[in-house]
Amino acid sequence: MRTTSPDHAAGVRSKPVIRLLRRYAWRYRWSYLAGAGFLWLTNYLAVSIPGQIGHAIDALRASQPLGRNVAAIAVMGLAIIFVRSLSRILIFNPGRYLEYHLRQDLFAHLLRLPSAFYAGHRTGDIISRAANDIGWVRVMVGFGGLQVMNVALAVALTGWKMVALSPRLTGLTLLPIVAAVAAAQWWIRRLFTLSRQNQRQLGDISDRVLGSLQGMATIQGFTAERAFIDGFRRKNLAWLGTGMRIAVLRSLALPVLVLSGGLSLYIVIVAGAPLVESGALTVGQLAAFVALLTVLLPPLRSIGWMLSVLQRGRASLERLLELMDAPTEEQLSGSIRTASGRGPAIVLDGMTFSYPGAGGRPALEEVAAEVPGGSVVGVFGRTGSGKSTLLRLLARLEQPPPGAISVDGIDLADLDIAAWRERIVAVTQRPFLFSETMEFNVALDEHPDQQRLHRAVRDAALEPDLEALPDGLRTVVGERGIMLSGGQRQRVALARGLYRGGDLLLLDDVLSAVDHETEVRLVETLASLARSDRQPTVLIVSNRLSVLQHTDTVLVLHRGRLVDSGEHSALILRSGPYRDAWLAQRNVPPDEMASEAAS
């Protein structure tokens, strides 16, 4: 059995931002490169204008014509508008595409994760990562990336021009700015910690809202609105508190950087005036130096915002990669593929299984049984006896212990999970219906085979119900099939399994909510499946013995153990839970039940 992949192992070792750039941003490298080129040109023109201003001032003092300088300034200003727009388009647009690909890959990855992953992660937190965190990653790559390049180019080009005018004055001017940037390092570390905490709290809020909406009938039915409002308020206040601390840090960064800029401007005036008096600088050059400083200050003032975006984006990226690094079912499966087209023979060899977090208490313990290929096997037991767990293990929704289950002589844990799933049909005890049409819920396909679809609907005894629906198969059934009854939802799920077909049918209490007449019809449908050319292996979990009496054999589970097995006719003659249920379902009076049980 595989536990991880080389790509996954390499991904864990890589730095998050490097992984993002290598996997998603590299394909847009030419767009980023062209955008960086236009951004360089934007900053080059911006730092060239102060030089023209200085020449104009010196020309004015010398009573020389200014037309040439004014025209150059105007042309440069218009050019800046054009190239700045191009740089933003070329850098921002890839961020949108990156967000699209990242969202697609994350959704596809989530669909491949095992059920154990979802048992340990809150749905609201996953939704928050898939929605809010991806947005912050886009902002980091787009606005944040642009700002990083802009600040770097502005500092480099402006510093070059300033040094060319006066190295000494440049050194003195940059002292307060360098000190402010050094102080920002503390903000960076603190912002990262708070950003992760803020995103986690937002996930808590999303989970609370989602759970409340899903359980709205229970909340309103028990008038528990106040308790849920109070619980939401506590989570909302925690999120607000962290957000306010982030806002305070961001608001402190801007005044410090503004103050450093003001000090730099003061130093230019104090230290520059003697240089003009001594002739080391002209008045125009000093004015150009002041203008260069005003060009430099806005990018430096944006550092506080930029650091916040980068840290929040990095925190969001790490949260996303935690999901994308989770091992998929394929990484946990083997590689053997078995032949399809016939019902598999299944052997349970002393299987013991415990759910994670169950404290070691087994859901199934030392279960040993054989299921011949092409047979119809019933599974009976009281609530909590392990019936659904058995079917989940066979469907590989849970990971069986090595050697515990074999299929046609091959360990189930060694089978390729995707190929095995192609052979099985699993209809769960509580079917999930999507807020789509009845047609889509049966076929799980936008363009289903109409002949197969209508045959599955007919075999699942759904045709009479379609006549009562406003649009028949095109009727949208609502969130979780809310407009259907429990029996209708079960039959839609059964039709879904019949539409697909397979070599192994796992039916988990699919007839519990149907009436007796419909039950008889559906039992006949399942019996006909077993007699078909494909002759699938069928496992039916049910507490209705009227269903199980039509099976070839019945496995009787009690508290996770297999306590009996055999044909229905034999089991009702032996004392045990199966016979007790048979007598109770026949409405045998207690005194007669005792006498029959003793016989």
Side-chain angles (χ1 to χ4, degrees), residues 374-432:
S375 62
V376 181
V377 176
V379 183
F380 172 80
R382 296 189 177 94
T383 301
S385 60
K387 306 184 300 295
S388 296
T389 299
L390 174 60
L391 265 59
R392 289 180 64 82
L393 288 165
L394 290 172
R396 290 295 302 274
L397 295 175
E398 304 292 343
Q399 300 302 320
I405 305 176
S406 62
V407 177
D408 292 332
I410 302 172
D411 190 346
L412 180 60
D414 293 333
L415 295 183
D416 181 281
I417 195 166
W420 173 242
R421 292 263 178 84
E422 289 291 332
R423 296 187 62 192
I424 67 174
V425 171
V427 182
T428 59
Q429 184 177 8
R430 288 181 287 274
F432 186 94

Side-chain angles (χ1 to χ4, degrees), residues 13-31:
R13 290 191 296 268
S14 302
K15 293 184 178 298
V17 176
I18 299 299
R19 287 180 59 185
L20 179 74
L21 296 178
R22 185 174 59 217
R23 183 170 179 179
Y24 294 99
W26 181 248
R27 69 186 77 178
Y28 305 112
R29 58 190 179 277
W30 300 117
S31 180

Side-chain angles (χ1 to χ4, degrees), residues 6 87 115 117 214 224 239 254 256 294 314 364 398 416 537 583:
S87 69
S115 58
F117 173 86
Q214 290 174 339
W239 171 81
L254 180 60
V256 170
T294 60
R314 197 182 113 200
L364 290 171
E398 304 292 343
D416 181 281
T537 303
L583 296 175

Side-chain angles (χ1 to χ4, degrees), residues 421-494:
R421 292 263 178 84
E422 289 291 332
R423 296 187 62 192
I424 67 174
V425 171
V427 182
T428 59
Q429 184 177 8
R430 288 181 287 274
F432 186 94
L433 300 189
F434 300 92
S435 184
E436 300 282 353
T437 63
M438 181 85 82
E439 180 181 76
F440 179 85
N441 273 287
V442 172
L444 296 181
D445 190 347
E446 296 287 354
H447 306 287
D449 183 318
Q450 292 297 321
Q451 184 177 354
R452 285 173 57 199
L453 176 68
H454 285 90
R455 184 170 59 248
V457 168
R458 183 185 65 249
D459 291 344
L462 271 172
E463 285 182 327
D465 301 274
L466 294 178
E467 298 175 1
L469 296 176
D471 298 312
L473 281 171
R474 297 301 178 112
T475 302
V476 177
V477 300
E479 190 73 27
R480 292 176 174 262
I482 192 172
M483 65 178 295
L484 302 180
S485 68
Q488 288 172 328
R489 287 196 292 269
Q490 281 192 338
R491 280 177 286 140
V492 170
L494 180 59

Side-chain angles (χ1 to χ4, degrees), residues 1-5 8 109 325-333:
M1 181 186 297
R2 298 194 301 270
T3 56
T4 187
S5 67
H8 170 67
H109 186 79
D325 285 338
T328 63
E329 289 183 320
E330 290 84 352
Q331 291 171 316
L332 298 172
S333 77

